[in-house]
Amino acid sequence: MMAYPYDDARIILALQIDHSRVAGYFAAHWGNPHFDRPEPYSSVVLAATEHDIGWWEWEMKPSTLNDKGFPLDYHDGSFKYLGQLRLDFYKNSVDRVLTRDPYSAMLMAMHGVALMNAGYGKYSYPPDRTGDPRVKAYVDHQEELRLKLLEQLRQSEQFKQHCSDEQIWTNYEYMEVFDQLAQFVCNRYPLNSKARKLGPTNSLNNVDIPTKHGQPAAKINIDTIGENKALLRPYPFDIDPLPVSFSARLVPNRTYKGGEDFLGEFYRAERITVNHTLASA
């Protein structure tokens, strides 16, 4: 759950599962003359859309508060507060999708592992947590599953043409880009707010952005030119501008006495739809 100020009196809550839908929407619209559409298309879109679905197991009743009595933000030590449950979110997400689309499940497993081992050692954020025995056990299990799925997919008539090492890791990079960009959009209000110090930067923490096959990766720059509009350089989507929206809730900006106190406000919260526009420069 993303929890951050909406105004002086209220906090906006954007659920991880709603953020995940935004990531899937970006995946669905990715591709133009300068950026390849991800392939296999429906599998990559599904993986992006469902990558955080396991959070629902907690977000249906998000009663855990931080040490100051505020709603638990995903950047506010969620592993510290949720522990093994946080790891189970990602494992259960993979299990849920596995029978429907094993290629999607493999990409989701890679994304979950990347959150715990600094992007397979490629990124400095999030940090490598594999020194924790719980994390190491989770990573080992998911990597074993990934390799098993990869072997099966390479024998599949439907997926074998999409299973080269190059394409697998390109699709993994797509997952990180879609997630980072969806976090950027859902993780602040208004869009040009500078209040959030954690989360993706205007360069998406310098993640590699796949472009065209055989061409070098790009870095993106996001210029928030207004409360609800941002310009992307380069621009990766198939329509320009791209409207994007997500659902959120508004709760009082106060400390809570406990989980039940917060849940009363959470369930009664006003629902809003936040609308933004992404465009080329």
Side-chain angles (χ1 to χ4, degrees):
M1 187 166 68
M2 302 178 184
Y4 49 94
Y6 180 76
D7 55 25
D8 291 341
R10 293 172 293 179
I11 295 172
I12 185 170
L13 304 176
L15 301 186
Q16 293 295 121
I17 56 172
D18 293 322
H19 141 81
S20 193
R21 298 292 183 261
V22 174
Y25 176 74
F26 288 152
H29 280 285
W30 193 273
N32 59 34
H34 305 289
F35 288 86
D36 285 336
R37 190 175 85 154
E39 295 292 347
Y41 176 78
S42 62
S43 296
V44 177
V45 172
L46 177 61
T49 303
E50 300 295 336
H51 77 272
D52 272 348
I53 191 62
W55 275 87
W56 178 244
E57 298 164 31
W58 178 73
E59 288 182 328
M60 70 173 78
K61 188 180 180 182
S63 55
T64 308
L65 305 175
N66 68 17
D67 292 339
K68 298 179 180 179
F70 282 90
L72 186 60
D73 177 57
Y74 81 128
H75 275 308
D76 191 21
S78 57
F79 183 64
K80 167 188 170 184
Y81 292 104
L82 300 176
Q84 184 63 46
L85 184 60
R86 166 81 186 273
L87 300 173
D88 291 344
F89 293 161
Y90 295 104
K91 174 186 176 298
N92 295 345
S93 294
V94 172
D95 292 345
R96 176 172 178 169
V97 172
L98 181 56
T99 56
R100 190 71 181 94
D101 191 318
Y103 198 102
S104 296
M106 179 184 66
L107 294 179
M108 290 166 63
M110 294 173 74
H111 172 71
V113 167
L115 291 174
M116 296 295 154
N117 70 357
Y120 289 89
K122 188 172 183 178
Y123 302 122
S124 59
Y125 183 85
D128 189 335
R129 298 186 174 100
T130 53
D132 185 312
R134 297 169 298 175
V135 173
K136 186 178 186 307
Y138 160 78
V139 167
D140 289 347
H141 177 272
Q142 292 295 282
E143 279 292 275
E144 181 179 352
L145 175 62
R146 176 180 72 86
L147 295 174
K148 178 181 177 181
L149 287 174
L150 180 57
E151 182 178 354
Q152 293 173 354
L153 290 166
R154 283 175 169 164
Q155 303 302 315
S156 163
E157 289 300 319
Q158 180 181 1
F159 293 112
K160 64 182 181 181
Q161 69 269 33
H162 302 295
C163 290
S164 68
D165 286 345
E166 179 186 10
Q167 187 165 4
I168 293 293
W169 287 100
T170 295
N171 284 336
Y172 156 73
E173 290 180 343
Y174 277 133
M175 289 288 291
E176 302 312 295
V177 174
F178 302 148
D179 179 41
Q180 290 274 314
L181 186 54
Q183 284 186 55
F184 185 93
V185 167
C186 299
N187 187 45
R188 66 202 68 226
Y189 186 88
L191 194 58
N192 59 354
S193 171
K194 307 299 183 185
R196 289 288 258 178
K197 303 303 180 184
L198 296 174
T201 64
N202 286 59
S203 63
L204 299 186
N205 296 324
N206 294 315
V207 297
D208 287 334
I209 315 291
T211 55
K212 303 286 289 183
H213 179 70
Q215 298 298 314
K219 303 293 183 182
I220 205 163
N221 178 265
I222 304 171
D223 183 9
T224 50
I225 62 171
E227 292 189 350
N228 300 101
K229 186 174 183 179
L231 304 181
L232 274 60
R233 300 182 179 86
Y235 187 79
F237 299 117
D238 59 2
I239 58 174
D240 185 12
L242 180 72
V244 57
S245 63
F246 62 94
S247 300
R249 307 176 188 220
L250 301 178
V251 299
N253 186 1
R254 66 174 177 87
T255 57
Y256 291 88
K257 298 175 183 177
E260 287 301 311
D261 182 25
F262 169 67
L263 289 174
E265 300 288 2
F266 176 79
Y267 292 133
R268 291 193 300 267
E270 176 186 353
R271 268 66 163 181
I272 64 170
T273 300
V274 180
N275 296 292
H276 297 313
T277 299
L278 305 181
S280 62

